[in-house]
């Protein structure tokens, strides 16, 4: 069977594109790192991809708010193409800066299908960038294909976070209830590192096809990336790799 | 148009909380703070405010206002402080804002368009506090007047125009582009010297006279006549010579001929040059043993094999002087600058890790001890730390290893060592990647940022002592985002074969980069008017030596230009042809077709005569006699309570204390290669154990790894810089071994940061400092030869002195050894944390380090173990005023420092590598600052496991008191744990070395040390976490 092809957005300060491509390759897909300017020039690139992914990094330096400038550009130039991409069953992933981008362009959570932003990610309560591993609870009631290989998890899984603007907030109580009651929360922190409301670490859209999360699954592709691998057995495939495997499998 | 954006008032802002906590730490009474970002845009026709707000404001969390102050919407505040960069200073946020606007409008914005950015803080003052906090105090704490200005507006004064709609910009006017000329040929000596000072050339009279002789030479005069140049020297020529011959670029002290008197009574020996006699010679001698060396010394970084398909390179630099003036800008420029060294190695390498070793004055130095004109060390540290965070994180390059050092001697100039490692495919389009060719006819191309006045005279300025007149134009701010785009583009162009040669623009700018590249072809012609500028009005000489950031110089075959330029445009990187390489032996500098400068390459690179310097050693046994010491061996604390207090004091000492809260602000995992991270263990109570260095996995299809480690111990130099160098090498190598490294697979960098060692009126002790430098080189050579450790690149910074208000503060002579090496199989890594109750704890080392090196014991070493330069000595001595010189014969000391048994150590390390290969250890931790006591505490806290140690027999055999035994810093030692029942194999393996069985790992959360004291000396792990783990919590 032909490998699914994955578009990986790059350029303008995005910097975790190589390891995201690696993650998809290990999961059995074909990762295609593509400068965003090329996607703007040729939006039809989306037609050949089954997954569109937004890696971590500092798009535009996060100078005007994390992911803000990139999201504005993407929405204005290829927003419609992405909507069509999702309509035909395409999967979308945003990690860290990619999550911030998806939220700020309104693709997540997109409850009203109008791509109006309704949640946000703001500076951590500490006011500092933080790199450490966090425990995450997977919402087993969320039926997103991205979580399909993670629902079997015994106890919380662990990914690293690496961000200064990861505090998740809801724009209103209505949206908070809606996301909670409809099981759109995908991941919650076990030990909240940034002040996120309701410990939210990642969410999906209504279709489950779009996932955004602050922690980095692509930074946990093999056992020796885990911070305690020298003390305890770490199983492979790792929890990080399984997120990608789940998505790729769902395409078959 | 002025747009203000802020978080909605009801949302908390972590940044504002953090700023308040910093201000409160500086005894300023603030009770509330709000941050507002302002963008000023001018010159864009028909720009709808709503469109800009859409672009810049995120409406779920933020609110905005156009052309009116957000501050007016709120009542609670007392004063507003707005901080903006001064005209001409690089502002990365404004650059991004401009780029965002260009993307939005779908067109390039012309020079008439101004986009600026400012940050405003609203503060409420705590009126109940008796401290008289003023807005001016707060403003002073928030900005650096060298590069920023602050506008302070009390609420009562707030009006619609309190904050400008546009700030002043650089206006230089159209200066006279004709160069100034100087009639050098007929100048008297005093005039020559005055000229050097006037133009900030940092050249001595002798050097000026060599330049004079060049211009007096009839051959020179004939060449100039033919080029239409006067006999007189032009400003651009003088500037190029000043830059090329600066200590910073030419390393004159390391090239000097030295008369070295080692005080042995023998005739002084003559050293042809420190670099050639010790550093290069060491590597030359090791080359037959190390077929993996690919390119050493001559390129921007040293290149060695990683595996059959890949080579790796490493370079470290310092950015001390800029960091003293502007800590944030200095540090960020240091990091992105050394990244460019990697991009500029061979055909271009990919940066895959950063390192940083940061040396500051003590953060709690009392204000009255800080000379007027210097920033307090806590402020320097905060700024440098922030710069390292932004520089690395925004570039997407992980921090692999590093250190923080605190010493009173770094009060004047901080030392900011920045390193970067790179990866390259072995072959690029069929050719060895570390080789570059540049031929006559190739185009000289500049890529990346534009040229401004920033960083002019950086190379010469860092070759001078820092004083009141130091030029602030030497300060720059790096922009990692612009650079990252350039790196991505250039490596893409490399793989397409679109250029032939590449080097970075760092100190000295184009003058340095093109001057070096011209050596390949034999000359270069540069048309300076073709170089893109940030703003009009730069003189040609300024264009030539400006150190504006994010620029590379390249050599292109003309046939590849079109493709190169087209790719650059698609990737949003500016590239310009600014000249052509030639083979006529000259650097030919033109502006609008007219020749402004002509210098022979040979003269630039080889015309500088060697300096002759004197070095006079004074042995430690005479300088640091025990009779002179205020402290003595016999007064070491010797009660259980006193030892326990000392243990806690050491754990809390800023150098030893965990840096976790600081280091976790660095991204150390981006690129997905981090296998050995900065911290390890269970993280009980939020405190992790430290590791001995970084371990990286370059390729996911192989477990072959790279170690990254450091060695640095400036306090040992008070005794003898020879030992300081040997110990630095040993520490870096020891950590490499602890990480499972190949004993024959490591390479190192040497970075010397010295106080001025040239004898003169301002430096009467220059000959001694020079002898310290000679001895450090000798130690470096001896240790590197013993460990088969080639030096593949390095750098020296020789003027780390500050003179302010008549006070001179010089750094302790400092040598940083940075090591990168091969880990044959990363799965050998066992980490430093204790793993399981019941594991046996052993101490291993060379026999001399474990049992005391009695045979060679110096007269000023009272005990079995040498304690000079240890942190025990530092803690017992208490706070020290910044000394003007470091001879070490005054004040408190504990005599001689330890030395390494270099005859035994290599075999011992090979044995340790074998033990790790066999999987014998469950943990391994190197003993360094604070000795056994600190290593035990770190391994125990890491694993959240305690232990019982019995050293009674060990004490008897060595006649060492408890303090001496626990806190000595003898080298070569590891603390290891073994599974129960494997001690037999272990003892057999180490039969020719020193081993001591210490005790057993236990569940109980304390370390109990049984020996000659009753009750046993005990450390509760909770107390350890409180002192060692929490010191930097903000």
């Amino acid at each position: 069977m032909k490998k699914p092809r994955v578009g990986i957005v790059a350029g303008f300060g995005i910097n975790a594109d190589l390891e995201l491509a690696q993650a998809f390759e290990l999961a059995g897909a074909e990762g295609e790192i593509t400068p965003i300017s090329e996607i703007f020039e040729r939006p039809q690139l989306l037609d050949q991809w089954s997954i569109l992914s937004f890696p971590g990094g500092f798009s535009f330096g996060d100078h005007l708010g994390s992911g803000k400038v990139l999201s504005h550009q993407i929405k204005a130039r290829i927003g419609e193409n992405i909507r069509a991409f999702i309509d035909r069953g395409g999967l979308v992933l945003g990690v860290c800066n990619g999550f911030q981008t998806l939220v700020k362009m309104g693709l997540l959570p997109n409850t009203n299908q109008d791509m109006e932003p309704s949640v946000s990610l703001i500076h951590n309560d500490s006011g500092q960038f933080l790199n450490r591993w966090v425990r995450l609870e997977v919402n087993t009631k969320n039926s997103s294909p991205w979580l399909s290989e993670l629902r079997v998890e015994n106890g919380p899984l662990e990914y690293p976070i690496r961000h200064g603007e990861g505090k998740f907030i809801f724009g209103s109580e209505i949206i908070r209830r809606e996301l909670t009651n409809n099981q759109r929360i995908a991941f919650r922190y076990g030990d909240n590192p940034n002040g996120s409301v309701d410990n939210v670490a990642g969410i999906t859209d209504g279709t489950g096809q779009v996932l955004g999360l602050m922690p980095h699954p692509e930074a946990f592709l093999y056992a020796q990336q885990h911070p305690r691998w020298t003390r305890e057995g770490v199983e492979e495939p790792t929890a990080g790799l399984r997120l990608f495997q789940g998505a790729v499998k769902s395409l078959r | 148009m002025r747009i203000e954006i802020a978080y909605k008032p009801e949302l908390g802002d972590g940044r504002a909380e953090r700023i308040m906590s910093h201000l409160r730490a500086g005894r300023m009474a603030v009770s509330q703070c709000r941050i507002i970002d302002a963008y000023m845009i001018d010159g864009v026709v028909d720009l709808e405010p709503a469109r800009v707000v859409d672009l810049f404001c995120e409406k779920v969390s933020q609110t905005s206002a156009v052309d009116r102050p957000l501050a007016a919407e709120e009542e609670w505040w007392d004063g507003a402080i707005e901080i903006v960069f001064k005209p001409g200073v690089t502002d990365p946020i404004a650059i991004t804002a401009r780029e965002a606007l260009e993307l939005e409008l779908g067109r390039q914005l012309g020079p008439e368009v101004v986009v600026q950015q400012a940050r405003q803080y609203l503060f409420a003052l705590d009126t109940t506090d008796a401290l008289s906090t003023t807005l001016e105090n707060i403003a002073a704490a928030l900005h650096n007047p060298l590069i920023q200005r602050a506008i302070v507006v009390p609420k009562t004064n707030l009006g619609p125009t309190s904050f400008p709609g546009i700030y002043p910009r650089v206006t230089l006017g159209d200066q006279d582009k004709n160069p100034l000329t100087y009639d050098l040929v007929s100048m008297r000596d005093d005039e020559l010297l005055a000229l050097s000072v006037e133009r900030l050339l940092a050249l001595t009279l002798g050097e000026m006279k060599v330049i004079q002789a060049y211009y007096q030479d009839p051959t020179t005069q004939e060449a100039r006549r033919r080029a239409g140049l006067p006999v007189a020297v032009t400003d651009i020529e003088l500037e190029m010579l000043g830059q090329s011959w600066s200590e910073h670029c030419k390393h004159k002290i390391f090239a000097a001929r030295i008369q070295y008197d080692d005080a042995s009574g023998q005739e002084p020996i003559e050293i042809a040059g420190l670099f050639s006699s010790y550093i290069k010679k060491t590597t030359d001698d090791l080359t037959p043993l190390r077929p993996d060396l690919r390119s050493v010394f001559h390129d921007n970084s040293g290149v060695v094999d990683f595996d059959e398909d890949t080579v790796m390179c490493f370079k470290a630099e310092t950015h001390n002087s800029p960091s003293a003036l502007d800590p944030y800008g200095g540090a960020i420029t240091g990091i992105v600058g050394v990244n460019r060294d990697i991009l500029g190695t061979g055909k271009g390498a990919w940066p895959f890790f950063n390192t940083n070793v940061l040396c500051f004055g003590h953060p709690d130095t009392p204000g009255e001890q800080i000379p007027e004109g210097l920033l307090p060390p806590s402020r320097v540290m905060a700024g440098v730390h922030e710069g390292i965070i932004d520089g690395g994180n925004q570039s997407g390059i992980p921090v692999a290893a590093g250190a923080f050092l605190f010493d009173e001697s770094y009060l004047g100039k901080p030392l900011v060592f920045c390193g970067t490692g790179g990866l390259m495919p072995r072959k690029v389009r069929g050719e060895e990647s570390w080789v570059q060719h540049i031929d006559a006819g190739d185009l000289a191309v500049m890529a990346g940022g534009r040229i401004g006045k920033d960083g002019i005279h950086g190379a010469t300025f860092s070759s001078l002592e820092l004083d009141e007149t130091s030029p602030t134009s030497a300060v720059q701010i790096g922009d990692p985002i612009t650079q990252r785009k350039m790196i991505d583009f250039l490596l893409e162009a490399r793989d397409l074969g679109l250029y032939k040669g590449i080097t970075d623009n760092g100190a000295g700018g184009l003058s340095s980069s093109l001057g070096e590249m011209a050596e390949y072809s034999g000359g270069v012609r540069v048309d300076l008017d073709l170089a893109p500028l940030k703003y009009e009005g730069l003189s040609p000489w300024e264009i030539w030596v400006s150190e504006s950031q994010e620029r590379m110089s390249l050599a292109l075959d003309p046939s590849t230009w079109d493709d190169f330029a087209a790719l650059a445009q698609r990737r949003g990187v500016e590239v310009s042809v600014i000249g052509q390489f030639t083979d006529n032996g000259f650097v030919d500098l033109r502006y609008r077709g007219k020749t402004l400068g002509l210098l022979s390459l040979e003269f630039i690179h080889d015309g500088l005569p060697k300096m002759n310097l004197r070095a006079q050693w004074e042995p430690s046994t005479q300088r640091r006699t025990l009779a002179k010491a205020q402290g003595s061996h016999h007064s070491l604390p010797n009660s259980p309570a006193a030892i326990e207090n000392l243990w806690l004091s050491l754990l809390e000492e800023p150098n030893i204390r965990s840096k976790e809260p600081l280091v976790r602000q660095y991204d150390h995992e981006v690129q997905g290669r981090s296998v050995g991270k900065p911290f390890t263990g269970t993280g009980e109570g939020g405190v992790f154990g430290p590791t001995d260095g970084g371990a990286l996995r370059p390729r996911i299809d192989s477990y072959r790894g790279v170690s990254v480690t450091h060695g640095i111990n400036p306090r040992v130099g008070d005794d003898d810089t020879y030992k300081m160098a040997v110990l630095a090498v040993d520490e870096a190598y020891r950590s490499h071994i602890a990480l499972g490294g190949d004993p024959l697979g490591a390479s190192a960098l040497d970075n010397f940061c010295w106080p001025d060692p040239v004898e003169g009126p301002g430096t009467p002790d220059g000959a001694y400092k020079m002898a310290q430098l000679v001895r450090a080189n000798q130690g470096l050579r001896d240790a590197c030869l013993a460990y088969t450790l080639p030096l593949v690149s390095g750098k020296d910074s020789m003027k780390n002195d500050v003179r302010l208000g008549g006070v001179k503060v010089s750094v302790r002579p400092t040598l940083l050894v940075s090591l990168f090496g091969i880990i044959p199989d990363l799965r050998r890594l066992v980490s430093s944390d204790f793993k399981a109750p019941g594991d046996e704890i052993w101490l291993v080392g060379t026999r001399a380090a474990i049992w005391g090196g009695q045979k060679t014991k110096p007269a000023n070493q009272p005990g079995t173990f040498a304690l000079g330069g240890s942190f025990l000595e530092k803690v017992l001595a208490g706070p020290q005023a910044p000394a003007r010189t470091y001879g070490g014969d005054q004040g408190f000391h504990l005599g001689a420092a330890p030395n390494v048994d270099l005859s035994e150590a290599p075999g011992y390390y090979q044995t340790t590598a074998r033990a790790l290969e066999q999987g014998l250890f469950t943990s391994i931790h190197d003993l360094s600052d604070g000795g056994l006591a600190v290593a035990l505490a770190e391994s125990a806290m890491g694993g959240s496991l305690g232990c019982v140690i019995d050293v009674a027999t060990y004490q008897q055999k060595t006649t060492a008191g408890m303090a001496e035994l626990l806190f000595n810093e003898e080298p070569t030692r590891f603390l290891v744990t073994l599974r129960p029942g494997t001690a037999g194999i272990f003892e057999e393996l180490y039969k020719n070395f020193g081993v001591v069985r210490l005790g057993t790992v236990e569940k109980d959360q304390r370390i109990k040390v049984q020996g000659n004291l009753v009750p046993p000396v005990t450390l509760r792990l909770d107390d350890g976490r409180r002192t060692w783990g929490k010191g930097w919590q903000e």
Side-chain angles (χ1 to χ4, degrees), chain B residues 834 836-841 946-950 997-1002:
Chain B
F834 286 157
D839 282 0
E840 288 186 18
I841 305 171
C947 58
V948 174
I949 299 295
D950 187 342
R997 186 183 186 283
L998 292 174
T1000 311
V1001 177
E1002 293 190 353

Side-chain angles (χ1 to χ4, degrees), chain B residues 864-929:
Chain B
T864 302
F865 300 110
L867 298 174
S870 65
F871 279 89
L872 174 68
E873 179 188 78
K874 184 173 169 71
V875 165
L876 290 177
Q880 302 282 299
R884 291 160 189 235
T885 59
Y886 287 93
D889 56 351
Q890 74 274 65
F892 182 96
H893 70 80
L894 294 175
N899 208 351
V900 179
D901 180 353
L902 289 175
S903 62
E904 189 170 307
Y908 156 75
Y909 283 128
Q910 278 161 20
T911 300
T912 305
R914 211 166 309 133
L916 281 163
E917 190 181 345
Q918 292 169 11
L920 200 53
F921 301 141
T922 55
S923 74
I924 182 167
H925 190 18
D926 107 283
L927 267 65
S928 59
D929 301 348

Side-chain angles (χ1 to χ4, degrees), chain A residues 169-186:
Chain A
I169 58 163
F170 298 97
S172 67
E173 273 307 306
I174 300 169
I175 194 80
R176 181 180 185 176
R177 273 198 300 276
E178 190 163 348
L179 294 189
T180 311
N181 296 341
N182 296 335
Q183 308 299 344
R184 300 282 199 79
I185 312 298

